């Protein structure tokens, strides 16, 4: 954290209502990281790997991003300052919700992501789906770790789609990607589905449905 008053002692607690700027860095994977299983990261694709099902993806902060800062059980929204988009490190500004010396930071700032129902985004995914968290950070900044993972699928064909359903056989939980308006072609179309991070020891199954609700194809990965 950096105080608005240059003479503030960074070793003392911030006061409730004090305007502060904090630095939040996304813990992006290195080139050897895998998208699934394992924790990834949030907010705007920086690049697309040649193999989206077995590569590393780097994401960055985007203009308008917000994080939630919690102190002693009280929370406030901090907003990315103008001019700091397009980087994995952002400067966020807001008002301290309470006095204290222990802080947690969460992204997104509002609403718990619903991974069960997702919408297709061309060459990307809904930024708000990739939860990140940091706690007990020092006053010089926070490093946010992603709480979810990212699965990439490449499909070809000629059908108009309605949805793609990913199932975890170990938990029976499903993650549905709505694809209304998307039509496959001979060129591979990339679909990203955000899922809870974990080992997925029993693999997963994928079911693809056309615009009429009929099954087009299904496959499993052990």
């Amino acid at each position: 954290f950096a105080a608005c008053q240059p003479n503030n002692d960074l070793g003392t607690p911030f006061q409730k209502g004090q305007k502060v700027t904090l630095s939040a860095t996304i813990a992006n994977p290195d080139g050897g990281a895998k998208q699934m299983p394992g924790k990834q990261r949030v907010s705007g694709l920086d690049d697309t790997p040649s193999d989206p099902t077995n590569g590393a993806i780097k994401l960055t902060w985007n203009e308008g991003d917000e994080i939630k800062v919690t102190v002693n059980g009280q929370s406030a929204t901090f907003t990315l300052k103008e001019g700091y988009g397009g980087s994995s490190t952002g400067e966020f500004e807001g008002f301290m919700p309470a006095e204290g010396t222990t802080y947690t930071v969460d992204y997104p700032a509002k609403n718990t992501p619903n991974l069960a129902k997702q919408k297709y985004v061309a060459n990307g995914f809904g930024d708000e789906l990739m939860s990140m968290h940091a706690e007990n950070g020092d006053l010089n900044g926070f490093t946010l770790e992603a709480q979810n993972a990212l699965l990439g699928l490449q499909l070809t064909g000629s059908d108009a789609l309605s949805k793609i359903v990913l199932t975890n056989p170990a938990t029976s939980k499903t993650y549905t990607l709505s694809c209304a308006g998307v039509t496959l072609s001979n060129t591979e179309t990339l679909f990203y589905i955000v899922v809870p991070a974990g080992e997925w020891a029993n693999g997963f199954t994928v079911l693809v449905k056309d615009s009429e609700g009929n099954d087009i194809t299904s496959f499993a990965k052990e």
Side-chain angles (χ1 to χ4, degrees):
F1 284 90
C4 291
Q5 297 82 5
N7 61 350
N8 186 75
D9 179 6
L10 293 181
T12 63
F14 289 102
Q15 297 179 354
K16 180 178 181 179
Q18 182 177 355
K19 187 177 183 180
V20 297
T21 299
L22 69 85
S23 175
T25 299
I26 297 166
N28 272 307
D30 59 26
K34 304 301 181 184
Q35 287 183 13
M36 182 178 174
K39 291 183 178 180
Q40 291 298 310
R41 217 227 47 88
V42 277
S43 199
L45 289 173
D46 181 63
D47 50 33
T48 301
S50 57
D51 180 2
T53 61
N54 195 33
I57 274 215
K58 178 182 178 182
L59 300 123
T60 64
W61 295 116
N62 290 334
E63 183 177 358
D65 276 342
E66 295 179 330
I67 57 176
K68 180 174 70 174
V69 177
T70 303
V71 185
N72 290 341
Q74 299 186 53
S75 302
T77 298
F78 280 56
T79 303
L80 186 69
K81 296 174 65 177
E82 184 177 356
Y84 285 87
S87 171
S88 61
T89 297
E91 301 290 321
F92 289 80
E93 190 172 74
F95 295 90
M96 191 57 57
E99 184 175 332
T101 55
T102 301
Y103 312 90
T104 62
V105 175
D106 290 282
Y107 176 94
K110 303 172 184 176
N111 302 322
T112 301
N114 182 9
L115 300 185
K117 296 182 179 180
Q118 305 179 32
K119 291 185 178 181
Y120 170 78
V121 176
N123 297 313
F125 55 91
D127 295 343
E128 74 284 354
L129 297 175
M130 189 67 77
S131 301
M132 294 190 296
H133 178 77
E135 58 184 66
N136 299 327
D138 60 35
L139 298 180
N140 293 318
F142 290 88
T143 299
L144 279 73
E145 296 280 352
Q147 305 302 297
N148 298 325
L150 188 63
L151 175 67
L153 303 172
Q154 289 179 322
L155 302 177
T156 59
S158 59
D159 297 279
L161 303 186
S162 61
K163 59 185 176 181
I164 299 174
V165 182
L166 175 74
T167 302
N168 184 338
T171 63
S172 297
K173 291 184 177 180
T174 60
Y175 307 91
T176 300
L177 180 68
S178 175
C179 304
V182 179
T183 299
L184 297 178
S185 68
N186 292 330
T187 302
E188 293 175 332
T189 302
L190 176 61
F191 299 88
Y192 283 110
I193 303 177
V194 180
V195 296
E199 292 300 324
W200 289 65
N202 295 329
F204 56 86
T205 62
V206 175
L207 175 64
V208 182
K209 289 181 172 289
D210 67 15
S211 58
E212 301 298 324
N214 302 311
D215 296 351
I216 298 175
T217 185
S218 64
F219 56 91
K221 180 176 176 61
E222 297 181 356

